[in-house]
Each structure stands twice: as C-alpha cells, then as structure tokens.
Amino acid sequence: MRYLYLLIPFLFISCKTTSPQQKAETEMASKPSKSLKPIEVTYKVNPDEVSFFLKKLASDEMEGRETGEIGMVKAADFLIDFLKKNNVKPYFKYYQDTLVRFKGPAYNVVGFIEGSDPELKNEFILLSAHYDHIGVEKNTPNADKINNGANDDASGVTAVAEMAKYFSETKSNKRSVLIVFFTGEEKGLLGSKHLAKKLFNQKFNLYAQLNVEMIGVPMKRDYLAYITGFELSTMAKKINEYTGKSTVGFLPKANEYQLFKRSDNYSFYQQFKVPCQSVSTFDFENFKYYHHVKDEFELMDTAHLTTFIQDFLPAVTAMTTSAKREIKMNTK
C-alpha cells in the first residue's frame, strides 16, 4: 500500500473516537441479510499451495520486487508461469503489460478467464493486487537488507492467484474475469494508472474491481476484512449477502487515512466511475512491520489467509454470475 509510512508514527497514539454514524455503518456492514441464501461453493482452497505461493513470492530470491529491478522481473516470471500452469490466458498478446516512460523493466501481469455466458462474458470483473514492493535497502548496516513485502502485498497476490486458479478449474464465471498483478504501486500507482487508461480507451466494459491489499494477518474484529470506500457503493452489502457472513465491515481509519485513494482500485475508479474498491485486514493495530525488512513470510498467518480466500470465493462467484449488475455506486 502506497505512502502509509507517513502515517505509521501516529498509529499507536491516535485517540480518535468512532462516531455513532461510523458505529452504525460498521454494524450494518457486518450483518448479512438472513432472508437471502448465500452462494454455495464446494471448491476447497489448498492451504499448502497457499503457503508455498506466498513463501516463494516473498522470498529473498525476489529481492524485494522493486519496480524496474531484476527482482520484479523474477516475480513476474513466477506469476506468468503460475497463470500458464493454471490455463489462464493472457488478455493482450503477452502477459506483460509494459509501462511506458519508466527507466528499467516495468510491467503489469494480466491474465484473462473468459465468461461462459454469451452476453455476460462481455462484462468484466477485475481481480487485482500489486506484486511490486520497495526492494533492497542499500545504505543500511543491518544484515537483512531485503524488504520482502510478505504482507504488502504478496499476501494479496496470493489470494488473487488462488481465485484465478479457482475460476480456471471450475469454469463457474459467466462474466469474464481479468486477473491483474500490478507493478509500480509503490512508485505512485503507476501500473494501475497505465492499465486503467489503456483499457478505458479501448472501451473496456468494467462491472467492478475487487483489489486485495495486505491480508497476511487477521484483525480482532467481528468481520473478516474491511473495504475501502465503504460508503461509495453497495459492494460491502452485496459481499455479505453473497457469503452469508460478516465478511466485510467498515473501518473508521480507512476513511481517516483515505485508503480508498492509496491503492490500485483508485486508478480504475477515476477512469470508469464504477465500484472499484480494496479489501484488507491490515487495521493499523495487527502488524507493525509496514515497509520494513521484517515483513517476512514467517510472520504471516497462512491459516487466516486460506480462510480469507475460501470465504471470498462465494462473493467473487456471485459477482461473475448475477443476472444483473447488483453492485452499484450509491447515489447521494
């Protein structure tokens, strides 16, 4: 997640209280409707595969995955190989969507899973996470110089990769699914800005974007994750209806720190003006190694990560199969 380091020194001294309105929003988002039947998914996420993928992407071999550096290239090769092995096709001629005007190698990795419905397949759900991080600390006396970025955002990439595998195997998506691993997020959302503009100019038919950001450790709350831009659309409400659980809720600090604008969902919202939001479990209380060399695989809760992916499968399935566009921007 971009530029949160400016806020970290204040995280544990802030005493801002939650307003009655915010409490009501939290409660509303956390309680699914009892009158609706949740989506059933029999597919089981393999925890060993989740652990292997996350450990590999956050390994020293990837050298911190900084955009423009060899570590980013290694990570991209790993992601492309994963998509190929799981029969996810490239959306463009190649998987690499190259950024222009960037010194050094810089490209998003973009996969495509065509929808099964003759009409709905022309609409897209975009599932995304950024695979870049902040690289190697060259001017430090510490022995560990690699910012592995396990939580930020190898965890999110792992979730999106598993969702891609799920759709590829089950072929349960009526709408088409675009799988995107962004680069350049840490440099100013460069990858998402590039791709959003490119797709908009191509008249890409985007229904909604679900971006996954920093989900490697759980929160101590009565919902699994929070969603940025909570009040802007019906996405939180529909996710909880689809899952039949308190899957997403409202986190006041997400608004306080304007997190809706700090990840790759914002680039697409700016272009398309449709629901484009991020989900996260980093709540400013549960992980103290943001943009730190100790953001390593060993500190990740892979059981939580597996549960997160499993619990979101009904939601992403319903996004791709609903007869109508049920996730909409809220009107004022």
Side-chain angles (χ1 to χ4, degrees):
M1 191 176 288
R2 183 189 174 213
Y3 294 157
L4 274 180
Y5 63 85
L6 297 174
L7 305 170
I8 295 298
F10 304 100
L11 297 185
F12 300 104
I13 61 174
S14 174
C15 297
K16 185 172 180 178
T17 59
T18 303
S19 70
Q21 179 181 355
Q22 289 171 331
K23 288 181 179 179
E25 288 175 337
T26 304
E27 193 172 298
M28 178 180 67
S30 300
K31 295 181 179 179
S33 173
K34 294 181 180 180
S35 62
L36 298 175
K37 186 178 180 180
I39 304 298
E40 293 185 7
V41 171
T42 59
Y43 178 96
K44 297 300 180 183
V45 178
N46 187 319
D48 292 333
E49 292 179 0
V50 169
S51 182
F52 170 81
F53 187 100
L54 177 59
K55 187 175 184 178
K56 180 71 172 181
L57 191 58
S59 66
D60 285 355
E61 177 187 350
M62 304 300 179
E63 302 178 38
R65 309 188 305 277
E66 183 172 2
T67 304
E69 301 295 336
I70 189 62
M72 187 222 74
V73 176
K74 291 179 180 178
D77 288 345
F78 170 67
L79 296 174
I80 291 169
D81 185 58
F82 177 88
L83 294 179
K84 287 179 178 179
K85 286 180 178 178
N86 287 281
N87 300 311
V88 179
K89 299 177 181 178
Y91 180 69
F92 302 111
K93 185 177 181 180
Y94 305 105
Y95 290 98
Q96 298 94 329
D97 167 50
T98 303
L99 277 61
V100 295
R101 299 178 182 176
F102 192 90
K103 185 178 180 180
Y107 40 84
N108 303 313
V109 175
V110 185
F112 167 61
I113 305 170
E114 186 175 18
S116 61
D117 186 273
E119 294 185 6
L120 289 179
K121 72 177 183 179
N122 296 314
E123 299 175 0
F124 280 81
I125 298 296
L126 198 162
L127 301 176
S128 62
H130 73 91
Y131 76 97
D132 69 304
H133 196 51
I134 59 174
V136 179
E137 294 183 7
K138 299 180 176 64
N139 300 315
T140 177
N142 298 326
D144 187 359
K145 303 177 187 298
I146 300 176
N147 292 283
N148 299 87
N151 199 29
D152 185 13
D153 186 28
S155 62
V157 173
T158 301
V160 173
E162 287 295 321
M163 291 175 187
K165 180 182 179 181
Y166 161 72
F167 281 120
S168 179
E169 289 189 10
T170 64
K171 305 187 187 308
S172 55
N173 56 303
K174 293 183 179 181
R175 290 184 174 87
S176 293
V177 177
L178 201 70
I179 301 295
V180 184
F181 304 121
F182 293 113
T183 195
E185 193 268 0
E186 302 288 4
K187 303 291 187 183
L189 311 181
L190 297 184
S192 57
K193 287 178 180 178
H194 164 83
L195 184 60
K197 183 177 180 180
K198 181 176 182 177
L199 292 176
F200 182 79
N201 289 339
Q202 294 178 358
K203 302 187 184 305
F204 185 77
N205 189 1
L206 179 63
Y207 170 19
Q209 176 191 16
L210 183 68
N211 188 60
V212 188
E213 179 80 70
M214 298 178 67
I215 57 168
V217 291
M219 303 185 295
K220 294 180 180 179
R221 285 176 163 78
D222 60 358
Y223 48 89
L224 177 64
Y226 64 89
I227 191 167
T228 64
F230 170 86
E231 71 285 354
L232 298 178
S233 82
T234 63
M235 187 178 288
K237 177 183 178 181
K238 298 308 296 186
I239 286 175
N240 288 340
E241 287 182 4
Y242 296 151
T243 62
K245 298 180 180 181
S246 298
T247 302
V248 293
F250 173 80
L251 184 75
K253 284 191 180 295
N255 276 16
E256 181 181 344
Y257 295 142
Q258 299 184 19
L259 298 190
F260 176 69
K261 297 181 179 181
R262 294 181 184 275
S263 193
D264 291 308
N265 61 284
Y266 189 59
S267 301
F268 282 82
Y269 170 75
Q270 285 184 303
Q271 288 288 348
F272 290 90
K273 295 298 188 289
V274 299
C276 299
Q277 291 162 266
S278 292
V279 289
S280 179
T281 66
F282 169 67
D283 65 358
F284 303 91
E285 299 170 7
N286 59 356
F287 191 70
K288 61 183 180 180
Y289 296 120
Y290 172 78
H291 279 197
H292 193 288
V293 293
K294 290 186 178 180
D295 182 3
E296 305 230 32
F297 169 77
E298 287 73 19
L299 296 183
M300 298 297 98
D301 188 332
T302 55
H304 153 73
L305 181 55
T306 302
T307 297
F308 177 99
I309 300 165
Q310 188 72 56
D311 283 3
F312 262 87
L313 291 185
V316 294
T317 300
M319 287 182 186
T320 68
T321 58
S322 62
K324 298 181 180 180
R325 292 192 175 200
E326 298 178 339
I327 298 175
K328 303 175 182 178
M329 299 300 297
N330 286 325
T331 56
K332 294 182 180 179

